[in-house]
Amino acid sequence: MKVTVVGAGAVGASCAEYIAIKDFASEVVLLDIKEGYAEGKAMDLMQTASLNGFDTKISGSTNDYAKTANSDIAVITSGIPRKPGMTREELIGINAGIVKTVSSNLIAHSPNVILIVVSNPMDTMTYLVHKTTDLPKHRIIGMGGALDSARFKYRLAEAMEAPISDIDGMVIGGHSDTGMVPLTSHATRNSIRVSEFLSEDRLEQVAADTKVGGATLTKLLGTSAWYAPGAAVSALVQAIACDQKKMFPCSTFLEGEYGLNDICIGVPVILGRNGIEQIVDIPLSDTEKNKMQESAAGVTKTNSLLSL
Ligand SMILES: NC(=O)c1ccc[n+]([C@@H]2O[C@H](COP(=O)([O-])OP(=O)(O)OC[C@H]3O[C@@H](n4cnc5c(N)ncnc54)[C@H](O)[C@@H]3O)[C@@H](O)[C@H]2O)c1
């Protein structure tokens, strides 16, 4: 199993590290446009192999896509991250050009690749890949919901003073401060609804804190976060590589599901060796349906900024 990660920056390197530590891929290629950067990160990571006990071979490449040839899975993290006070949508101008070039280079060298798009604004970048390449939709996956759901579970566990392993919950919708739809009514602690433990006000606070999870970290760090994003990407890569059939909310092209068309947005999907093997169309409450419609309107507005 060969995995390429484009962008050897904060998220790309973290993602490569988690993939290596989980030791399910034979090879990870890190590629970056900055001279020597990916080679340096790859060498540093390889020097953790004997310490962390993995056999995955990590190599680096300065913009040479021949080294990525025949990748099974490729992750696109190349592009600029946001700075404090910025929205993800403000990154569109620079990142759209990068994502378009990178995706076409990847596909030229790995025609059977499954692409995972991470660069922001992620739903719009996923839509861009859908519109500008010939890849079938089950091989174009946007990562956002897996991270947002991990942040939701963190906030729920914090509010209930419970271990995170007790908590289950999911965030669907657009990967933006206003677009996320935390499915509070479906969240549970050991199969008991979280509303049995937390007041409506506290649950609203949890949902609000989840939605600004990325912005909170960007303010603290001065740039956007990388550990949880890298871990979330590695979980998607593992689900595909190991044919796990696991369910994650991912951005995918919708054709009628959730009443939406011609948009990539976060909904629950099953991931296996073919990429997105099923879109899970769960019934939503009227409030959740309205939030999903509002979220989709926001993503469509950002999509309209693309010159397709
Ligand atoms: N979807 C999510 O949940 C999520 C989470 C966190 C970050 N992000 C996004 O991921 C992206 C990367 O974030 P980061 O913190 O790793 O940024 P970073 O600046 O640390 O790394 C980005 C890397 O991309 C490289 N790059 C730029 N143009 C390139 C090109 N044409 N080809 C190859 N490499 C190129 C840069 O040299 C840099 O090393 C940002 O757009 C950020 O907003 C998304």
Side-chain angles (χ1 to χ4, degrees), residues 86-107:
M86 279 174 93
T87 67
R88 294 176 178 90
E89 289 71 18
E90 287 174 70
L91 307 173
I92 190 169
I94 296 176
N95 286 357
I98 294 174
V99 169
K100 195 171 169 191
T101 313
V102 166
S103 55
S104 89
N105 285 338
L106 284 169
I107 295 164

Side-chain angles (χ1 to χ4, degrees), residues 9 12 58 63 87 95 156 179 198 201 224-225 237 239 248 282 298 301:
I58 310 168
N63 219 25
T87 67
N95 286 357
L156 282 168
L198 296 172
D201 283 356
S224 66
V237 172
F248 292 95
I282 53 165
K301 194 171 162 208

Side-chain angles (χ1 to χ4, degrees), residues 130-201:
H130 183 83
K131 289 287 171 192
T132 57
T133 70
D134 291 332
L135 280 196
K137 66 176 206 168
H138 64 275
R139 289 205 268 134
I140 305 172
I141 303 164
M143 194 297 289
L147 168 65
D148 303 331
S149 301
R151 288 177 171 158
F152 183 38
K153 287 181 250 189
Y154 162 78
R155 288 297 183 191
L156 282 168
E158 179 188 56
M160 284 190 268
E161 296 181 27
I164 293 184
S165 55
D166 266 9
I167 313 291
D168 205 359
M170 200 161 50
V171 177
I172 62 171
H175 178 61
S176 71
D177 297 354
T178 51
M180 287 176 212
V181 183
L183 295 179
T184 306
S185 65
H186 296 254
T188 59
R189 175 178 186 180
N190 288 355
S191 69
I192 300 164
R193 284 181 200 281
V194 291
S195 53
E196 295 291 331
F197 301 96
L198 296 172
S199 68
E200 210 170 299
D201 283 356

